Amino acid sequence: MKKLINHPDNVIKEQLEGMQAAHADLIKVNFEPYYITRAGGPVKGKVALISGGGSGHEPMHGGFVGHGMLHAACPGEVFTSPTPDQMHEAAKAANGGAGVLNIVKNYTGDVMNFEMAAELAIAEGIQVQNIVIDDDVAVKDSLYTAGRRGVGATVLIEKICGAASEEGYDLKAVSELCRTLNQNARSMGMALTSCITPANGSPSFEIGDDEMEIGIGIHGEPGIQREKIKSVDEITEMMTVGILEDGAYSRKLKEWDHDKGEWVEVEYVDQPFKKGDNVIAFVNSMGGTPVSELYGVYRKMAQVTDKFGIKIVRNLIGPYITSLEMQGCSITLMKVDDKMVKLWDAPVYTPGLKWGM
């Protein structure tokens, strides 16, 4: 696999230097340790939204720092969690006095490191809440997670919660909104090829030219089943039906109890989709699939949701949470009410997502 890089050891640093040069009006990059904040500094009186994870998923997360979305993002090495000190420094840099909401994809390293970072910030008097995103219906547990993985819903949640922060929601209200959106969202992905990390130089898994993986993650990990490649209509129907027919999902997640001053386990149950639900539909490229093919996926997905009595009220189509150059896509459906739609429609201005400004 050919890559446009100089040396594997310098990929992240040079990527961040390029982002800084291209978007100096929107973002500011800190290099020791790595984190990205809004160019204008902390937004006084507004809850700061922070997310992060391994690099290789661009534009997520650094590309979503800006008005209407994140206040800071922490990039790790490729497919590797950022460290607690990155997250802690980002929290201090982004905090505008109204507290910090960490939006955490459910991968073991991300969850553990964001918990440690939250404890450090709380010890310094910063109000922090961590909300774990776990929307992938394909797997219950994997090499990377305890429970379902956090995937496409993360982008939609960052947009809607970012708008809520701009409107002045306090930390408790933004956190509750984030929880609800996570419970309302479900995703599934597939791949035609694996991907190659710069440091490794070889495919993350082997797959035949006539095969596909169903239920892949975003770190180059294989899916839950391998099949002979099918038509786009067959693939899309398989994923969409898998999401819409997914039953109630119960699990316990850790959140910070500000009254007790400790982590507590909270049980949440996600209810399945039902006829009459309004949804935001997100068709995402894993990096190597062109937008032209995504529209083929969207076409069939819209037909299937209509057959189930589900109404798509907004959509997002494109490469927003990628896995390097992997060919494939994911589908995310999120139940929304009128208030959530209004927040979705609110202006956003980031390197990776712009409208209404």
Side-chain angles (χ1 to χ4, degrees):
M1 171 64 70
K2 301 174 183 177
K3 288 184 179 290
L4 289 172
I5 63 174
N6 291 311
H7 190 282
D9 292 346
N10 298 326
V11 167
I12 306 307
K13 179 175 182 290
E14 292 174 356
Q15 168 193 314
L16 292 172
E17 289 173 343
M19 289 184 67
Q20 178 70 80
H23 305 293
D25 59 325
L26 298 178
I27 62 171
K28 180 180 178 181
V29 177
N30 190 85
F31 289 91
E32 291 293 340
Y34 291 148
Y35 61 85
I36 302 165
T37 58
R38 295 190 188 185
V43 182
K44 299 299 182 184
K46 301 292 177 69
V47 175
L49 269 61
I50 299 177
S51 196
S55 297
H57 307 303
E58 288 72 23
M60 192 183 76
H61 291 280
F64 299 139
V65 173
H67 179 88
M69 286 191 79
L70 297 175
H71 296 76
C74 303
E77 294 299 320
V78 174
F79 296 168
T80 303
S81 173
T83 60
D85 69 302
Q86 287 177 257
M87 301 164 180
H88 178 216
E89 293 300 322
K92 292 193 293 183
N95 178 39
V100 171
L101 172 62
N102 290 324
I103 300 174
V104 187
K105 299 186 306 301
N106 189 32
Y107 293 94
T108 302
D110 290 4
V111 172
M112 178 179 65
N113 290 348
F114 264 110
E115 286 179 1
M116 287 191 282
E119 291 172 2
L120 292 171
I122 290 167
E124 295 179 356
I126 300 173
Q127 290 284 94
V128 180
Q129 185 56 269
N130 288 9
I131 301 295
V132 174
I133 311 304
D134 58 349
D135 55 305
D136 187 355
V137 305
V139 294
K140 175 65 186 297
D141 297 294
S142 73
L143 293 174
Y144 296 84
T145 62
R148 292 181 167 180
R149 299 174 292 206
V151 285
T154 313
V155 176
L156 308 186
I157 288 169
E158 289 174 356
K159 168 62 189 80
I160 295 173
C161 288
S165 171
E166 299 291 352
E167 285 202 2
Y169 284 40
D170 64 17
L171 181 58
K172 182 178 180 180
V174 179
S175 299
E176 183 57 38
L177 175 62
C178 188
R179 288 187 202 97
T180 301
L181 292 169
N182 181 51
Q183 291 180 266
N184 287 0
R186 300 184 183 200
S187 303
M188 184 180 289
M190 60 79 58
L192 302 175
T193 67
S194 62
C195 60
I196 297 174
T197 62
N200 191 27
S202 59
S204 56
F205 59 87
E206 298 293 336
I207 186 169
D209 290 340
D210 62 343
E211 294 178 319
M212 64 179 184
E213 285 278 333
I214 301 296
I216 51 93
I218 59 172
H219 296 94
E221 65 265 44
I224 56 171
Q225 63 190 63
R226 179 168 296 188
E227 299 184 13
K228 294 297 181 182
I229 193 168
K230 294 179 169 62
S231 69
V232 65
D233 279 3
E234 292 173 296
I235 294 169
T236 303
E237 183 163 12
M238 182 188 309
M239 291 197 294
T240 308
V241 170
I243 291 170
L244 293 176
E245 292 188 344
D246 186 58
Y249 175 54
S250 175
R251 73 280 194 219
K252 292 182 179 180
L253 300 173
K254 288 174 68 177
E255 295 182 10
W256 185 260
D257 187 311
H258 291 278
D259 293 328
K260 296 181 178 179
E262 62 184 22
W263 296 102
V264 297
E265 285 193 336
V266 184
E267 183 168 9
Y268 293 108
V269 179
D270 298 358
Q271 297 301 326
F273 290 94
K274 65 182 184 303
K275 185 177 180 179
D277 283 338
N278 291 336
V279 300
I280 296 174
F282 175 26
V283 177
N284 173 67
S285 169
M286 301 307 295
T289 295
V291 173
S292 59
E293 294 179 18
L294 298 183
Y295 280 115
V297 174
Y298 187 88
R299 165 191 165 275
K300 185 61 180 179
M301 181 205 63
Q303 292 174 359
V304 175
T305 54
D306 184 65
K307 189 180 297 184
F308 273 74
I310 306 294
K311 182 180 180 182
I312 298 173
V313 294
R314 296 291 187 275
N315 62 61
L316 185 66
I317 302 165
Y320 293 102
I321 172 171
T322 61
S323 186
L324 295 172
E325 74 285 347
M326 178 183 281
Q327 284 185 274
C329 70
S330 63
I331 293 172
T332 299
L333 297 175
M334 174 184 284
K335 290 181 284 188
V336 289
D337 57 25
D338 290 344
K339 180 172 65 176
M340 296 168 184
V341 172
K342 181 180 178 182
L343 292 169
W344 175 261
D345 289 342
V348 58
Y349 194 59
T350 73
L353 204 63
K354 297 183 177 79
W355 65 65
M357 295 187 73

